[in-house]
Amino acid sequence: MENNLEKYVDVANCPVRNVLDRFGDKWSTLVLLLLNEAPVMRFNQLHKAINGISQKMLAVTLKSLEGDGLITRKQYAEIPPRVEYKLSTRGASLLPHIENLVQWANANFDAIEESRKAYNK
Amino acid sequence: MENNLEKYVDVANCPVRNVLDRFGDKWSTLVLLLLNEAPVMRFNQLHKAINGISQKMLAVTLKSLEGDGLITRKQYAEIPPRVEYKLSTRGASLLPHIENLVQWANANFDAIEESRKAYNK
DNA sequence: CAGGATCCGGGTAGATACTG
DNA sequence: CAGTATCTACCCGGATCCTG
């Protein structure tokens, strides 16, 4: 049993953590879910759709997702510039799992809220 | 379509985010995965098993998980004190989804690493 | 339009010391 | 053993301004 747990022990080098950290951040899942609803989206479209995100964080998030190959970025040589983001195959393969979590969260939200209240009372 | 996205828009009041934030943190998933491997675990057992976590953060994480009803805490009136943590039914219902993510992460880790290298070059 | 650069404040994790 | 208390440092995110 002790050995069984070793695989989780080394947080720094854990591949799971390394990957999960990416969409455990504040905005990544949101972007992925949005890109799953539309075929492509532009920067400002995402910016408007995600209430509260700053330009900076959207840019950072998109870069991170692009760097991981979860989304693709297509830039058109036009003026004004146009950039389209879409889910990659890899990103699409991740999405069902995220949606499962979303469903679980929705299904358990009320109960969890009650637990929290009872706990903090 | 615009309306379709509204549900993700309000980050502050989003139930999904509200729930996902809890185990999107640094340690929660790790604790849940560990508690899934053993029937019960004590504080120091977890502390040793999770390399790098501080007492404080373990305590905070356990409280949060207990507050959400994902784990249960059982304290024995002994000296020295003994406290056992175990997965609750609710926590157990969440775990399959986490494990799916873990599998996905493991399956895609190498490819993602390559993407990152290529991207940062 | 799609970002980049910079500056700044607050929260959060970590270290350390202490306790029932 | 199983935590709490306090203090500090750092990082992340937001705001603002600027640009190809």
Side-chain angles (χ1 to χ4, degrees):
Chain A
M1 173 61 70
E2 194 76 21
N3 287 333
N4 222 338
L5 304 177
E6 290 288 337
K7 55 185 167 184
Y8 303 119
V9 162
D10 193 358
V11 173
N13 299 326
C14 175
V16 175
R17 150 145 329 246
N18 199 290
V19 171
L20 295 192
D21 271 353
R22 288 304 180 125
F23 60 90
D25 70 2
K26 197 170 181 182
W27 306 109
S28 291
T29 34
L30 225 37
V31 170
L32 291 176
L33 286 168
L34 282 169
L35 287 181
N36 192 44
E37 305 260 330
V40 298
M41 285 215 205
R42 302 179 59 173
F43 188 89
N44 272 355
Q45 234 179 327
L46 287 165
H47 193 208
K48 281 176 211 154
I50 305 177
N51 197 335
I53 196 171
S54 63
Q55 280 192 330
K56 174 187 169 182
M57 287 317 297
L58 179 55
V60 167
T61 303
L62 288 171
K63 269 194 186 175
S64 163
L65 291 174
E66 191 198 354
D68 285 8
L70 297 178
I71 64 174
T72 59
R73 191 187 114 110
K74 191 168 186 180
Q75 182 167 3
Y76 296 87
E78 302 172 357
I79 297 207
R82 178 162 57 111
V83 178
E84 287 178 348
Y85 294 94
K86 62 184 283 252
L87 225 51
S88 70
T89 309
R90 189 182 299 162
S93 78
L94 171 58
L95 237 121
H97 301 120
I98 294 183
E99 287 184 321
N100 283 337
L101 282 177
V102 169
Q103 288 198 357
W104 185 93
N106 275 323
N108 290 271
F109 180 62
D110 292 341
I112 289 179
E113 278 286 275
E114 277 185 43
S115 294
R116 285 180 190 169
K117 281 181 191 169
Y119 186 74
N120 294 321
K121 198 175 47 58
Chain B
M1 173 59 71
E2 194 78 21
N3 287 334
N4 220 338
L5 303 178
E6 290 288 337
K7 55 185 168 184
Y8 301 119
V9 162
D10 193 358
V11 173
N13 299 326
C14 175
V16 175
R17 153 147 327 248
N18 198 289
V19 171
L20 295 192
D21 271 352
R22 290 302 181 125
F23 59 90
D25 69 3
K26 196 170 180 182
W27 306 109
S28 290
T29 34
L30 225 37
V31 170
L32 291 175
L33 285 167
L34 282 169
L35 287 180
N36 192 44
E37 304 260 331
V40 298
M41 285 217 206
R42 303 179 60 173
F43 188 90
N44 271 357
Q45 236 180 325
L46 287 165
H47 193 208
K48 281 175 210 152
I50 305 177
N51 198 336
I53 196 172
S54 62
Q55 279 193 328
K56 174 188 170 183
M57 287 318 297
L58 179 55
V60 168
T61 302
L62 289 172
K63 271 192 185 177
S64 164
L65 291 173
E66 191 199 353
D68 285 9
L70 298 178
I71 65 175
T72 60
R73 190 188 115 109
K74 189 169 187 178
Q75 182 167 3
Y76 296 86
E78 302 173 357
I79 299 212
R82 180 162 55 110
V83 177
E84 287 178 347
Y85 294 94
K86 62 185 285 252
L87 225 53
S88 70
T89 309
R90 188 181 299 161
S93 79
L94 171 58
L95 237 121
H97 301 120
I98 294 182
E99 287 185 323
N100 283 338
L101 281 177
V102 169
Q103 288 198 357
W104 185 93
N106 275 323
N108 290 271
F109 179 63
D110 292 341
I112 289 178
E113 278 287 275
E114 278 186 44
S115 295
R116 286 180 189 169
K117 281 182 192 168
Y119 186 75
N120 294 322
K121 196 176 47 59

